[in-house]
Amino acid sequence: MRNIEEISSRRLSLASAVTIGGTSLLLGCLALTDAQTALSAALRGVSVWWEVLFPALFPFFVLSELLLGFGIVHLAGTLLDPFMRPLFRLPGVGGFIVAIGFASGYPVGARLTSRLMEQRLVTRNQGERLVSMTTTSDPIFLIGAVCIGFFGSLEAAPVLAVAHYSGALMLGLASRFRGREPDSDGNTAEPTKGNRIRAALSAMHKARMSDGRPFGILLQQSLQSSLTLMMIVGGLVVFFSATLDLLVNSGLLAYFRDMIAGLLHLLGASPNLAPAFVNGTFEVTLGAKAAAANAELPLVDRVAVAAFVLSWAGLSVHAQVAGLMSRTDWRYLPFARARLYHGLLAMLIVYLIWPLFHSDLSAQLSVDAWLSESSWSPWSHLASPGLYPLLRSAIWMPVVFAFVLAVIVIVGAAAIGIRKLDRKAKD
């Protein structure tokens, strides 16, 4: 049996090496034959990284290091522990990461999870499930860039937000049944005795003493590691931007597009939605823009495709998450499956809740009327330089963070109450 597993592992490694090597050779040949396309796409990727991703993600990377160094994550984990375990079979620190991940967007959740796995605060099973649940878009991008910038209306915002974030939470609830081995079971931890607030403060103090770095050194090392991560993220964005343009211009993606178009036709959907799926497979921004482009298609179909693209997140985000998790024993295939399930679930939720949110009044809402009362440009999330994205994040992040924590506490308290009633009924 062991020999069979070793042979299968070797064959898989060989197939992966051949696939990666062949793909790299193909992309190299395409770049040499179409250098102008590769250069233009690379420059566009650098622009997006510098003007959007760097000011939006870099502060959160630094903040995550500081929160871990000062023990804030451990404090929140102790407080949230009784609510997270009955809901998601995860330790309390998972609740803090869920709130941060939803508020700041991908791939910040993966960054925090990787640090917790390195510190052995979560197991591989818990870390994989946590990354799958927290790889979500931030509200600013979802509302500002996708709904206002691409769809040109706020009508899609509530449906898209509910489908995207509730789908992530449902995915987390469903994944609690995965991997019930003893070392990954979140219910095996001993309950905290005595005052929980005192225990949380004690956990924070122990974590701070265990870290031991003075604030100056902690800040310096946080900046250094965050800059390194941002360079990795930037390189991946540039690579996938150039890859997508090269594959599109070469015509190699035409077969993939035709296959998706045929599948959509069999399902009764418009084949014109196929380009959105193709673009979204590689890059989330291009996929969401393509989903909103064809105004002749029903709005509900376009919003459903956008929900899938945001939840799948694109291979560019997948590569960012894989890079952040590379120092752990995290596995990519369960993550990829979870992204696919999240995308399909988000599409289904859009169709289910669309009648609840859709109205003639909201359909008449125009962007010009909304912008006349606001100084927020719909394209500012994609192209605004400087600290503007950071200032908007500073406004949105506490709201989303508090809302997610409130949901976890309320639903977790309900789960605890139901469990106590069941125990009393059995007794």
Side-chain angles (χ1 to χ4, degrees), residues 309-350:
V309 169
L310 288 174
S311 302
W312 165 253
L315 292 177
S316 177
V317 172
H318 288 211
Q320 295 173 32
V321 172
L324 292 172
M325 303 295 295
S326 60
R327 297 171 62 180
T328 68
D329 56 354
W330 174 86
R331 298 169 298 179
Y332 171 71
L333 288 181
F335 172 79
R337 285 198 302 267
R339 294 294 90 231
L340 180 60
Y341 296 155
H342 187 192
L344 296 175
L345 182 59
M347 287 186 68
L348 178 61
I349 294 174
V350 167

Side-chain angles (χ1 to χ4, degrees), residues 237-321:
V237 170
V238 172
F239 172 77
F240 278 96
S241 178
T243 297
L244 180 59
D245 274 21
L246 288 172
L247 292 176
V248 169
N249 289 349
S250 66
L252 293 176
L253 288 182
Y255 302 103
F256 183 39
R257 183 189 60 219
D258 294 341
M259 181 181 66
I260 293 179
L263 180 61
L264 291 173
H265 180 71
L266 290 176
L267 297 175
S270 174
N272 294 327
L273 293 170
F277 283 103
V278 173
N279 291 349
T281 299
F282 291 89
E283 215 285 317
V284 61
T285 304
L286 297 178
K289 185 176 181 180
N294 195 341
E296 297 179 357
L297 298 176
L299 181 59
V300 61
D301 292 338
R302 292 185 286 141
V303 172
V305 175
F308 176 86
V309 169
L310 288 174
S311 302
W312 165 253
L315 292 177
S316 177
V317 172
H318 288 211
Q320 295 173 32
V321 172

